[in-house]
Amino acid sequence: MATPELPTTRPSHHSASSISDEKVPVTDNSSLEVAKDEKGVDVVAELLSGHAEDAEIDPEVARKIRNNLDRHMLPLLFALYTLQFIDKGSLASSSILGIIPDNHLTANQFNNLSTAFYIGYIIFVWPHAYLMQRLPIGKYIAANIFFWAVCMGLQAACKNYGGLCEYRDPVESKRTTGTLMISKVALRFLLGASEGCITSGIMTIMTMFYTRVESTQRISWTFQCNGVALILSGFIAFGVAHINAKAHPRQWQWFMIITSIASLVVSILYFWYMPDNPANARFLTKEEKVLVVQRLRINQNGVESKVWKRYQFIEAIKDPKTWLFFFFAAIANLQGGVGVVYNIIIQGYGFNTLETTLLSVPKGVGMILGVTLGTIFIRRYPNSHTIIGIIGFVPSSIACFLLLFLPWSAKPGLLVGIYLISTNGVGFIMILSLCAVSFAGHTKKMTVNAIFLVGYSLGQMLCSQFWKEKYRPRNTVPWIIQLMTYVGDIILILIIRWYLSSENKRRDREKLESGKEYEEFGYIERIQEDGTTIKYKVPIQFLDITDLENKAFRYSL
């Protein structure tokens, strides 16, 4: 056990259950005293006992720690997000590989399969948020990866839209005597349910190990894997498209089987190697764990607490920032429908299946280039999430004009428009990462993440519904809607920037008027066997307090 700093003893007047939900006074007294049970504070608080006032970390040591984290964590996060996007886009990839005729799907039914995914996603957002706080987050995500891999593989057994599915052995190509109660709609629903924890989980894990600027960069790098996924899925589709279209398994079934196996492998790796928080990262020594956490003091939002705090949940619901990010997520993801039908759009320009699979690859390159430029700028200008976000939606807006007004004969120009659309990811990522660092208090952060993903899911549920067959091949109505969402995004980003900037100025003004410095440290209490209490001095941001309670908190812009 770490040696306590500044120990004092006194009788305990609080039970663990009553203290864990207790609010923390931050600036009311000149001498801060926080009486809290250790179960209600950050999981790394004990790790810092005895290190509360250590000197600042040497930049070279900090760099080595960061590189060590990158070596062990980023490959897993990159593999996870690449496969998630391949799985999520499997419907789009399979659209030209025979899934539509083999399952007797109409255009509306095809769109509904995309919607079913996000119905599962939205329903399970809240259970995921609660369970990821209560359970080891790395293991919980690994279990969901395994479940989605199973659902992905089972899709290869489906033979129609919503009812009983005849099962055909993918190896022997023989029909069994019975039928399986496997609905493609149900599997898409379950696939969305299992993938609903991934984005929130990645946001949470990033802020547990990295500073604000570092987490923004790494969230951006992780989202670059969407572009990698588009490239890989294009080549996988190109490969399976060479299989005889009448052979069993079918081309689209091979696509599902390949991605299912890859997802199973990642779930196993994730279970064994992804830490749940810095305190149990096996690749770090105890000294390195302390250094990792000390680096995070600048974030002012702690790491993790395993106690669900009702007051933080209510504060998240009442916080206007929460709903600004929610509406941004909802509007931004109305743009997602093009990700479901882009292969159909490209094929509609007159290309065959093999040509379409290859022509989809540059879309992934466009996404990677857009996000790369965003990460370069955020590193150079770390307080510019909103500005980069606005700029990130400009090329996509130009693309909409190209797709609306270029003559139908200008196929190269129309393809350029499709590829430019994919650069909108940088705008979304900048605001997603801003959301991740704009809230403190673990329950509050998990609640906000859940609400953000509800908005995300609502947008995705609706986005495929306006890509109707009657609008093809020109798709004028969908492109107009797409353009309007970019305008809405830019307006919301400006409002978010104004609100955060106003709050920062208000806090600066209050501090100047009070003439007092902010308290930097608080105390956690540990009840001894004899009934006395020992207090441990820790940095205040690791007491699991919210951004509204911590007046030293300043919002990134």
Side-chain angles (χ1 to χ4, degrees), residues 33 37 92 107 120 127 149 177 187 200 319 329 382 388 417 424 484 507 518 546:
E33 175 115 347
D37 184 271
T177 56
L187 286 174
S200 178
D319 194 332
I388 297 172
N424 65 1
M484 292 301 99
R507 294 185 178 206
Y518 295 124
T546 69

Side-chain angles (χ1 to χ4, degrees), residues 115-135:
T115 300
F117 178 96
Y118 287 100
I119 292 174
Y121 201 106
I122 196 171
I123 289 175
F124 280 85
V125 159
W126 290 106
H128 284 319
Y130 179 77
L131 291 171
M132 280 193 290
Q133 179 167 8
R134 300 296 300 225
L135 301 175

